C-alpha cells in the first residue's frame, strides 16, 4: 500500500511534475514547470560541484555519423538498443545512445602532454535508446534520458586516484540527496566484449583495489560489465528498501585504442590514455523517479518547487499576503499566494496534498501584528511567528539541504 502511494507515476501526475503522451511516443518525457524546476536545481548543483572538482562542462551533438559508432563497437555490440540510421546528403547518421564519442573527439582536437592529464569532461547529455515498449516504466525506464555523464582522460598511474575521487563525489551526492543506504557491485566481463582479456583483468583489478583501499563492502556481479570495460555500480536503496541503479564508474582501455586517443609521454612517445566513464546520479529521469518515491513527493525544502504558500483568510488580507510574498521572494524563497475565493481549510488541505513545506496563514491578527501563522505540511500548527523568524528558518533549511 505504501509503495502504491509513493509510485512516482501516480505522484508525478498529482504533483504536476511530468507527463508522457502517446502522440509524442512512449518512453519520451515532457517535463512540466514544477518538475523542470526540480531538475534545474539538481543540475545547477551538479554543475557547481563538478566545477569545484576540476571538471570542464562541455556540450556535444545529439546525432553523429554511423561510421563513428561502428569504429567504437556500439554498432556491433549494442545494435538492438540503437535507433535506425537516417540518411542525410548520402551519409548515414544515428541519434546518439552514449555521450562518450563526442568527448573523445573534443580530446582529440588537440595534442596533449602527460602533464595535461587528467582531463575531466562533464556533460548533462541527452541520449536515446530503443527500449521495448513492454519494459518502459514511467521515468525509471525510458527511451530518451539525460545522463549526468563525465569522462576522465588519464594516465595509467592516475587511475586509482581518479576512481577514488569519483567514488567520493558519488558518496557526497548520495548523502546530499538523502541516500545513506546503498550497495556496491563490481561488474565483470560480459560474454560479448571488446579488447583483450589482459586489458579486462587490468581494468577490473584497478576498480577492485580502489574498493578495498576505501574499505567499502562490495559484491562481484559476474558478466554485468559493459562491452568496453568493467564497472563499479552503486545501487541506491529508497525509504521502502527498493533498489535503484545510481552511480556507475567504468575503466576503459578499449575505446582509446580504437580511436587512438593518445598523449605524449615524458619519453616523447605516444601512449594511449585510459578513459574513466562515470555518472554520479545516473540518468536524471531515473534519479527523479527514485527521489519522488524515496520522499513520497514531499521533497526536502531546497528541492521543493514551491517552498512556501501564503493563504489569506479573507479578501481583505490579500494585499498583506502579496506583501509577505514579495519579502520572501527577495530572500530567494519560492513562494505563492493562494488568493482564490475558497474556504481556508480547503486551501490548507490542497497545500498539504501538493506537499508544500510551509503554509503561512494571514488574517486580522496577523495583519495587525505584522506576523504570520505558520503551519507545516505534516499538519503541525506552529502558530504566530514574525516574518523574520520564518525567513530565517526557511533559509536554514535550504542551506542545510533538508
Amino acid at each position: 500500500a505504501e509503495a502504491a502511494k509513493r509510485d512516482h507515476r501516480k505522484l508525478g501526475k498529482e504533483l504536476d511534475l511530468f507527463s508522457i503522451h502517446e502522440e509524442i511516443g512512449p518512453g519520451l518525457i515532457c517535463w512540466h514547470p514544477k518538475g523542470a524546476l526540480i531538475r534545474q536545481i539538481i543540475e545547477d548543483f551538479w554543475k557547481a560541484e563538478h566545477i569545484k572538482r576540476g571538471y570542464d562542462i562541455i556540450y556535444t551533438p545529439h546525432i553523429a555519423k554511423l561510421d563513428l559508432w561502428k569504429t567504437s563497437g556500439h554498432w556491433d555490440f549494442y545494435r538492438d538498443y540503437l535507433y535506425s540510421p537516417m540518411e542525410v546528403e548520402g551519409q548515414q547518421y544515428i541519434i546518439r545512445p552514449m555521450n562518450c564519442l563526442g568527448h573523445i573527439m573534443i580530446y582529440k582536437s588537440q595534442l596533449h602532454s602527460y602533464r595535461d592529464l587528467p582531463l575531466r569532461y562533464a556533460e548533462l547529455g541527452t541520449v536515446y535508446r530503443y527500449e521495448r515498449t513492454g519494459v518502459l516504466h514511467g521515468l525509471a525506464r525510458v527511451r530518451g534520458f539525460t545522463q549526468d555523464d563525465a569522462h576522465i582522460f588519464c594516465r595509467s598511474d592516475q587511475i586509482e586516484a581518479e576512481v577514488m575521487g569519483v567514488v567520493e563525489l558519488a558518496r557526497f551526492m548520495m548523502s546530499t540527496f538523502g541516500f545513506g543506504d546503498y550497495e556496491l557491485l563490481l561488474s565483470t566481463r560480459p560474454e560479448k566484449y571488446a579488447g583483450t582479456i589482459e586489458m579486462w583483468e587490468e581494468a577490473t583489478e584497478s576498480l577492485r583495489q580502489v574498493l578495498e583501499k576505501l574499505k567499502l563492502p562490495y559484491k562481484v556481479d559476474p558478466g554485468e560489465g559493459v562491452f568496453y570495460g568493467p564497472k563499479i555500480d552503486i545501487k541506491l536503496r529508497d525509504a521502502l528498501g527498493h533498489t535503484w541503479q545510481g552511480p556507475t564508474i567504468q575503466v576503459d582501455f578499449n575505446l582509446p585504442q580504437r580511436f587512438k586517443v593518445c598523449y605524449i609521454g615524458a619519453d616523447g612517445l605516444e601512449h594511449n590514455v585510459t578513459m574513466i566513464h562515470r555518472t554520479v546520479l545516473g540518468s536524471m529521469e531515473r534519479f527523479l523517479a527514485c527521489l519522488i518515491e524515496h520522499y513520497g513527493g514531499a521533497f526536502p525544502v531546497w528541492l521543493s518547487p514551491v517552498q512556501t504558500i501564503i493563504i489569506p483568510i479573507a479578501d481583505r488580507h490579500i494585499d498583506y499576503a502579496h506583501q509577505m510574498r514579495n519579502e520572501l521572494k527577495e530572500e530567494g524563497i519560492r513562494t505563492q499566494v493562494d488568493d482564490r475565493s475558497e474556504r481556508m481549510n480547503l486551501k490548507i488541505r490542497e497545500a498539504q496534498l501538493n506537499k508544500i513545506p510551509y503554509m503561512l496563514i494571514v488574517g486580522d491578527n496577523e495583519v495587525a501584528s505584522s506576523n504570520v501563522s505558520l503551519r507545516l505540511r505534516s499538519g503541525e500548527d506552529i502558530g504566530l511567528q514574525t516574518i523574520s523568524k520564518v525567513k530565517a528558518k526557511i533559509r536554514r533549511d535550504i542551506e542545510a539541504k533538508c
Side-chain angles (χ1 to χ4, degrees):
E2 185 63 24
K5 197 164 69 175
R6 289 172 177 255
D7 189 318
H8 75 275
R9 295 166 300 175
K10 172 178 175 288
L11 287 171
K13 184 174 183 180
E14 289 175 0
L15 300 177
D16 195 23
L17 302 178
F18 68 91
S19 59
I20 302 168
H21 302 269
E22 190 58 40
E23 296 89 338
I24 293 174
L28 302 169
I29 308 302
C30 289
W31 291 94
H32 296 202
K34 289 179 181 177
L37 179 55
I38 297 170
R39 178 170 161 169
Q40 181 189 334
I41 293 163
I42 294 170
E43 291 182 357
D44 288 348
F45 174 70
W46 182 93
K47 286 179 182 176
E49 289 300 324
H50 279 71
I51 291 167
K52 276 186 202 173
R53 289 167 170 78
Y55 286 82
D56 293 309
I57 306 297
I58 60 173
Y59 298 90
T60 56
H62 288 225
I63 63 170
K65 290 181 179 177
L66 178 58
D67 287 348
L68 197 67
W69 302 98
K70 288 181 176 178
T71 302
S72 70
H74 288 89
W75 185 247
D76 292 329
F77 290 96
Y78 214 69
R79 190 181 305 186
D80 288 347
Y81 295 97
L82 302 182
Y83 278 95
S84 301
M86 62 187 94
E87 188 165 311
V88 181
E89 298 178 343
Q91 293 275 356
Q92 286 193 308
Y93 289 75
I94 64 167
I95 195 162
R96 67 180 178 186
M98 310 280 186
N99 301 304
C100 47
L101 302 194
H103 295 204
I104 287 173
M105 293 299 109
I106 290 176
Y107 179 91
K108 283 173 61 70
S109 67
Q110 296 181 36
L111 190 63
H112 296 284
S113 155
Y114 69 98
R115 293 190 183 91
D116 299 331
L117 304 181
L119 286 175
R120 306 181 187 100
Y121 295 154
E123 178 180 15
L124 288 160
T126 301
V127 298
Y128 303 87
R129 299 179 190 172
Y130 172 49
E131 299 279 4
R132 275 40 178 189
T133 305
V135 301
L136 298 174
H137 182 79
L139 295 176
R141 196 77 178 262
V142 292
R143 288 179 173 169
F145 57 93
T146 301
Q147 288 182 307
D148 73 306
D149 221 347
H151 295 89
I152 300 170
F153 299 85
C154 63
R155 306 187 307 264
S156 57
D157 62 300
Q158 296 171 321
I159 294 172
E160 185 176 301
E162 290 302 308
V163 172
M164 279 191 174
V166 174
V167 172
E168 286 165 3
L169 174 56
R171 294 173 75 192
F172 166 76
M173 285 290 203
M174 290 185 293
S175 170
T176 301
F177 287 100
F179 296 102
D181 189 12
Y182 48 85
E183 63 176 331
L184 291 97
L185 302 173
L186 178 59
S187 302
T188 60
R189 187 178 71 251
E191 286 184 19
K192 289 179 68 177
Y193 63 91
T196 65
I197 288 179
E198 290 76 19
M199 291 162 62
W200 273 84
E201 287 177 349
E202 185 180 348
T204 305
E205 188 57 26
S206 298
L207 294 176
R208 189 191 309 277
Q209 286 181 10
V210 168
L211 292 172
E212 290 179 357
K213 285 191 175 181
L214 291 173
K215 297 181 178 177
L216 294 171
Y218 68 93
K219 296 176 185 174
V220 175
D221 198 7
E224 290 302 312
V226 286
F227 75 85
Y228 51 78
K231 58 179 177 169
I232 295 171
D233 277 327
I234 302 178
K235 307 278 189 180
L236 307 178
R237 279 199 188 87
D238 65 19
L240 294 180
H242 298 156
T243 57
W244 299 76
Q245 175 62 55
T248 184
I249 307 160
Q250 305 156 4
V251 174
D252 179 6
F253 296 111
N254 175 57
L255 287 181
Q257 192 174 72
R258 286 176 177 246
F259 284 97
K260 297 182 173 57
V261 188
C262 301
Y263 67 92
I264 305 301
D267 56 6
L269 301 176
E270 285 190 348
H271 301 267
N272 282 345
V273 302
T274 299
M275 275 182 76
I276 298 170
H277 307 241
R278 42 108 302 184
T279 68
V280 292
L281 296 178
S283 83
M284 294 303 298
E285 284 71 11
R286 187 172 56 225
F287 186 68
L288 260 294
C290 181
L291 269 183
I292 291 167
E293 297 198 7
H294 184 56
Y295 288 109
F299 298 105
V301 178
W302 74 290
L303 292 176
S304 295
V306 180
Q307 294 164 324
T308 303
I309 190 161
I310 304 172
I311 301 174
I313 293 174
D315 287 352
R316 63 182 177 275
H317 309 126
I318 289 175
D319 287 346
Y320 180 72
H322 282 280
Q323 179 189 326
M324 292 298 100
R325 182 198 63 180
N326 293 339
E327 283 195 36
L328 291 167
K329 287 182 78 173
E330 284 176 8
E331 296 282 332
I333 296 167
R334 296 185 289 276
T335 308
Q336 291 181 352
V337 174
D338 187 348
D339 54 11
R340 296 174 300 157
S341 298
E342 298 286 356
R343 291 179 296 107
M344 185 185 72
N345 287 342
L346 174 68
K347 294 180 185 181
I348 290 171
R349 177 63 180 151
E350 288 186 358
Q352 287 176 315
L353 290 173
N354 285 315
K355 318 288 188 184
I356 297 172
Y358 303 106
M359 288 157 269
L360 308 184
I361 315 301
V362 295
D364 290 337
N365 289 341
E366 288 76 18
V367 172
S369 60
S370 297
N371 291 321
V372 294
S373 286
L374 177 63
R375 295 177 68 104
L376 308 183
R377 63 184 163 196
S378 63
E380 185 181 356
D381 187 352
I382 304 296
L384 205 63
Q385 300 281 306
T386 64
I387 192 65
S388 59
K389 273 191 179 178
V390 170
K391 285 191 288 189
K393 173 177 173 47
I394 298 171
R395 288 302 316 164
R396 281 196 303 273
D397 287 349
I398 293 169
E399 287 160 13
K401 292 186 168 50
C402 62

